[in-house]
Amino acid sequence: MALSRYNNNCNFPFFNTFDDLFAVPSTLFLERPTFPHISPGYEINQDEKSFQLAVDVPGVKASDMKMDLEHDGRVLHLSGGRKKQEGNNFSETKFDQRFTIGKDVDTNKITANLENGVLVVNIPKKEKEESVVRNIAITEGPALPTRGNMAS
């Protein structure tokens, strides 16, 4: 599959759990509270022409999200959050997700649309070039000198 969740610590699975430990808000040692990070649910589908990435982001506005291509266009980085205030209570939740993109996609044609709390990212595949058979002439006689095979 040419689209998968990005794993920066692929050789060290311990760090995923370790990072999750610090994602929980803690006010014990900090004067300012931290905001919880969530991992939104997502689904990846594909057909002959494209990949579709659907990410559940209920209550999040398009203006509260950011999507970038990183690592020479091979990593799709989605981040954002939701702010909520009820009376004197304020809460904020953030997310940060990365997906690895294969070389068989056209990164210049990626589109994203948010509707009803679901962000749908369309990632078109590159059109396959027809393999061309080219005839190479074979000559007879003395060989022409090549760079590595020059006579002294």
Side-chain angles (χ1 to χ4, degrees):
M1 180 173 277
L3 177 65
S4 60
R5 184 164 181 202
Y6 178 75
N7 185 356
N8 196 29
N9 301 314
C10 60
N11 294 328
F12 304 101
F14 166 74
F15 289 117
N16 290 336
T17 305
F18 187 74
D19 288 343
D20 291 342
L21 175 67
F22 290 100
V24 176
S26 172
T27 56
L28 296 175
F29 305 108
L30 302 173
E31 291 180 16
R32 294 184 325 184
T34 59
F35 299 107
H37 278 69
I38 59 168
S39 251
Y42 65 90
E43 185 177 295
I44 298 172
N45 293 302
Q46 71 172 314
D47 57 29
E48 306 81 42
K49 295 185 178 189
S50 65
F51 292 94
Q52 294 83 34
L53 169 64
V55 184
D56 293 329
V57 288
V60 179
K61 300 174 189 169
S63 60
D64 293 333
M65 289 187 282
K66 181 179 176 185
M67 190 177 329
D68 297 308
L69 281 173
E70 302 173 342
H71 300 284
D72 295 325
R74 296 296 140 221
V75 175
L76 181 71
H77 181 194
L78 174 64
S79 60
R82 174 180 57 219
K83 298 175 183 176
K84 194 175 182 183
Q85 185 170 0
E86 292 179 11
N88 291 334
N89 295 329
F90 177 82
S91 67
E92 182 173 359
T93 305
K94 296 185 179 255
F95 60 87
D96 191 82
Q97 196 87 332
R98 287 177 172 84
F99 299 90
T100 302
I101 298 177
K103 293 180 180 180
D104 64 338
V105 301
D106 189 345
T107 57
N108 293 319
K109 294 182 180 176
I110 295 175
T111 60
N113 184 59
L114 176 64
E115 184 178 357
N116 296 326
V118 178
L119 177 68
V120 177
V121 183
N122 187 46
I123 306 167
K125 295 179 182 179
K126 288 182 181 175
E127 291 188 25
K128 294 183 181 181
E129 297 176 10
E130 282 189 34
S131 58
V132 177
V133 177
R134 194 181 98 207
N135 188 356
I136 300 172
I138 301 172
T139 60
E140 283 189 48
L144 296 174
T146 59
R147 288 184 191 256
N149 196 15
M150 295 272 212
S152 324

